[in-house]
Amino acid sequence: MQIDLQTIAIKPLRHTFDNIARRIGADKPATRYQEGTLDMQQEANYHYRPTWDPDHLIYDRARTVIKMADWYSFKDPRQFYYGAYTMARAKQQDTAEANFDFVESRGLAANLPEEVRDTVLKLLVPLRHVAWGSNMNNAAVCAYGYGTGFSQPHIYHSMDQLGIAQYLTRVGLLLGGVDVLDEAKTAWMEDDTWQGLRRFVEDSMVLKDPFELFVVQNVVLDGLLYPLVYETIIDDVLSAKGGTSVAMLTQFMTDWFAETKKWADATVKTAAAESDENKAILTKWITEWRDRAAAALVPVARIALGDRTDELVGEVVQQFNARMAKAGVAL
Amino acid sequence: MDMQVAKKKLGLKERYAVMTRGLDWKPSYQKMEDIYPYIAYEGIKIHDWDKWEDPFRLTMDAYWKYQSEKERKLYSVLDAYVQSNGHLNVTDARYLNTVKLFISGISPLEYVAHRGFAHAGRQFPGPGPRVACLMQSLDEIRHAQTQVHAVSNYNKYYNGMHDFHHAHDRVWFLSVPKSFFDDAITAGPFEFMVSIGFSFEYVLTNLLFVPFVSGAAYNGDMGTMTFGFSAQSDEARHMTLGLEVIKFILQQDPANVPIVQRWIDKWTWRGYRVLTLVAMMMDYMLPKRTMSWKEAWEVYFEQNGGALFKDLARYGIKMPDCAAQIALEKDHLSHQAWSTFYNYGAATNFHSWMPDEDEMAWLSAKYPNSFDKHYRPRYEFWREQAAKGNRFYNKTLPMLCQTCQIPLVFTEPGDPTKICYREVDYKEDKYHFCSDHCKKIFEDEPEKYVQAWLPVHQIYQGNCFPEGTDPTVEGFDPLAAVLKYYHLEHGRDNLDFEGSEDQKNFEAWHGQATKNI
């Protein structure tokens, strides 16, 4: 049985904005992602050049060496506009909150095996600084990238990384307290273990090409760091040692990486498929920065992996290579 | 029970500090000036970024939670509004022209604010202001998108909005708001914060954002009203950020005071000139008025702004000089603006019209010193002419101000019978200005303002015709070619409201929705 509620039907003059109709090929209803993304960035008749970068226009395709006939070829497979983005994150935040509550209310943090707790404090807490670096780098890509299709996901990514830095801070506070944060920062600044990674992050901060920065930060560094730390170390190694509750505290990061890598892959794939020149540039960037990132991550991984470090880092690199090959960049 | 030493419990402020500035470090592999390259050239001196007081303390988890709740509510209201043909509930179809002005003039600026705050949020060496700016960047893309989504439904039924991005980059009067934000984002990061964070978001927001949202609420536009109200708590955060920025810069070094004063003077005037569009919207375009432009200026600038500048006096900041001229113009601004748009109604993406008798009476009452004497006779003449079939459309191009890009239509301060012209010779060329204040802004940074993309100059240079146009053929109609370049449809998007397709459709649809015929 079907009930038939009626509304007054008025025939619309058009179904979407003209710029959307031109891009989707017809005047038909468009999604909120499309209307909130396509052509949002101004494209013509800029009035003044930036006093901070007089060699470029306000938004300038020439800030990167990657060439695209149309920068709106980049599409976010998650279809994130602000509303969809915040609602997705709020849901993950609910889970994260429930997980923190669960761990806290049952005293699970206090019952962690000493070895696991130590590893978490030494390995995980300094990573809040890496996330903070990523927050800055993604802000840069958002500010200097061309076209909302490419720039928009980076503001979400930037704030996600701030959120991750804050979750990691909470892990530190829960397992140790403020002193633990200070110790982790000292290690980040001074211990040999971290210097390769800190140098990598600081070197990325001076990159001027927004697409290279996207590759270095979101494709390469996160592409090795997240599988290594959150999948290999926390989900496998630490869980086996009685640290399952740690995996609860970092579930946000695990889920987040699984989601965001789809977008990163789609972006690499679109740029690589555009031209052989793009593909060559991407291959060069990814290869060089992958080798640096992998080398920088070895001493960090050793905190948790000991003798198995080289083997497991090697596996992560292999997986990463396979992922890139799938995205159209054979390394 | 475990005898663990009790953990030090963090206060809110300390907790927020470890969640933000505690994440930052002083780099050693790269130089500070390479990581933050744009921070020195404006001459602002910051000695201690740690003195920054966080204006609000929102961690990302809380941000996502609050914002998603607001988004969920907003989109359910928008969906209900669409389903119930809410557009037919607006006071009358003339109101829709306010929406056209908003989507093509203002919403694209929200987007520029998003990118500008991402830039500022990357470039400040202080972690406190960086986080605050990035959060605002994220809010601003929200505002740009919710506005597009709210107006999307109107676009389906009414003209003038169908290619608003394209219009914003090209249409003559839209270069006024566009050049304003281009000016801000091309300035250094500190000036950007003073221009947008302080002058625009703090000093002028009640005269820009608020009149549109209140106007929507008064005129039955639930879509616009809902995104406006939903953005209110974001705007409150942006205002506290704007104020904190100013206080922080001023407290850091006395040498910053004259620089900031020059910026406040400049941006108050620049902002005020953009508000010309709002003034005429308030006095002419809203079928149901909320308040007059003059009243709004008196309440929000002269009273509230006056109190603000009294508060800033302790830092050595004074009320901008331009306030005196603005006070002289408040009896005239909206009338001169509406007259101009009535003139150029063939080249706009919204309709213009002459106020009816009741509206003339309202204007007389609100502007007893100016309306009947200077503007009513002009309107009555135009109305008579229109009744005789001679609706006046001005098809010659006006001279534009090099700074604010508004045609030179404003009168001399204190003499509403004489058009105000100023000019400057710079290098080989002559530049024209609407006022002493725009002239001064140019003289302070001539190399910036000579770059301005002035729509009239561009039309005369042949840069505003569709590709392949030959302006030398006999019978060439420049206006028609320019409208094509703008993607405006002659006879549908432009001209008088009387007889427009919007007017006819609204009437027919309204009948369909309320009568049984």
Side-chain angles (χ1 to χ4, degrees), chain A residues 34-299:
Chain A
Q34 288 168 330
E35 290 195 345
T37 304
L38 299 173
D39 304 303
M40 284 293 275
Q41 178 204 286
Q42 286 75 354
E43 287 214 319
N45 305 332
Y46 307 114
H47 290 278
Y48 325 100
R49 287 190 171 244
T51 55
W52 38 271
D53 182 13
D55 295 337
H56 291 107
L57 303 171
I58 296 173
Y59 311 109
D60 199 328
R61 294 172 179 85
R63 283 206 178 92
T64 174
V65 294
I66 292 293
K67 301 246 179 306
M68 299 297 296
D70 176 9
W71 278 85
Y72 286 94
S73 304
F74 293 109
K75 292 183 180 66
D76 185 344
R78 304 163 301 174
Q79 305 230 356
F80 273 172
Y81 59 98
Y82 179 93
Y85 162 73
T86 43
M87 286 185 226
R89 289 294 172 266
K91 215 170 140 197
Q92 286 165 278
Q93 144 64 13
D94 271 351
T95 310
E97 212 52 57
N99 287 350
F100 268 89
D101 278 352
F102 186 86
V103 172
E104 275 171 306
S105 64
R106 284 165 181 76
L108 296 180
N111 294 332
L112 273 185
E114 194 61 28
E115 185 200 345
V116 172
R117 184 177 163 278
D118 227 45
T119 307
V120 170
L121 293 182
K122 283 209 179 96
L123 170 73
L124 217 48
V125 183
L127 287 175
R128 65 203 274 271
H129 301 294
V130 180
W132 176 249
S134 173
N135 162 262
M136 287 178 66
N137 283 338
N138 277 286
V141 185
C142 174
Y144 313 120
Y146 192 86
T148 308
F150 178 67
S151 68
Q152 170 176 234
H154 289 92
I155 190 66
Y156 304 144
H157 220 72
S158 174
M159 301 318 269
D160 286 344
Q161 289 279 5
L162 176 60
I164 287 169
Q166 292 175 343
Y167 281 126
L168 290 172
T169 304
R170 284 178 66 180
V171 172
L173 291 174
L174 179 62
L175 300 190
V178 184
D179 297 347
V180 156
L181 303 179
D182 294 339
E183 284 158 27
K185 189 161 179 179
T186 306
W188 171 247
M189 294 306 291
E190 294 168 13
D191 283 7
D192 288 345
T193 312
W194 291 97
Q195 296 319 297
L197 192 54
R198 184 160 72 86
R199 180 188 286 268
F200 184 102
V201 171
E202 290 184 17
D203 286 355
S204 71
M205 286 176 178
V206 299
L207 292 174
K208 294 279 184 223
D209 183 318
F211 210 98
E212 183 178 13
L213 190 48
F214 154 77
V215 165
V216 171
Q217 177 68 57
N218 299 335
V219 179
V220 175
L221 181 56
D222 290 351
L224 297 175
L225 178 71
Y226 280 73
L228 182 64
V229 171
Y230 297 105
E231 289 165 20
T232 305
I233 295 178
I234 292 179
D235 284 356
D236 297 346
V237 179
L238 293 190
S239 288
K241 292 180 182 168
T244 318
S245 54
V246 179
M248 291 184 72
L249 299 178
T250 57
Q251 189 189 337
F252 182 92
M253 285 72 122
T254 314
D255 295 348
W256 176 84
F257 181 70
E259 174 215 281
T260 55
K261 81 173 173 187
K262 289 183 196 144
W263 158 71
D265 287 350
T267 304
V268 169
K269 195 171 189 172
T270 302
E274 176 84 0
S275 68
D276 289 343
E277 289 76 15
N278 281 359
K279 195 184 280 187
I281 294 165
L282 289 170
T283 309
K284 179 169 175 289
W285 282 340
I286 295 173
T287 311
E288 286 175 10
W289 287 96
R290 176 202 61 192
D291 293 345
R292 276 194 64 180
L297 286 169
V298 164

Side-chain angles (χ1 to χ4, degrees), chain B residues 312-348:
Chain B
L312 291 175
R314 78 178 99 148
Y315 303 104
I317 290 295
K318 61 179 186 58
M319 175 66 99
D321 290 340
C322 63
Q325 179 167 341
I326 301 174
L328 290 174
E329 289 187 0
K330 68 188 173 191
D331 277 313
H332 303 281
L333 184 75
S334 63
H335 318 305
Q336 295 179 356
W338 187 244
S339 301
T340 304
F341 278 91
Y342 185 80
N343 265 257
Y344 290 106
T348 53

Side-chain angles (χ1 to χ4, degrees), chain A residues 51 145 152 174 185 202, chain B residues 7 24 29 41 115 145 162:
Chain A
T51 55
Q152 170 176 234
L174 179 62
K185 189 161 179 179
E202 290 184 17
Chain B
K7 271 180 225 155
D24 199 44
Y29 296 105
Y41 77 97
R115 297 287 290 262
Q145 291 178 332
H162 51 88

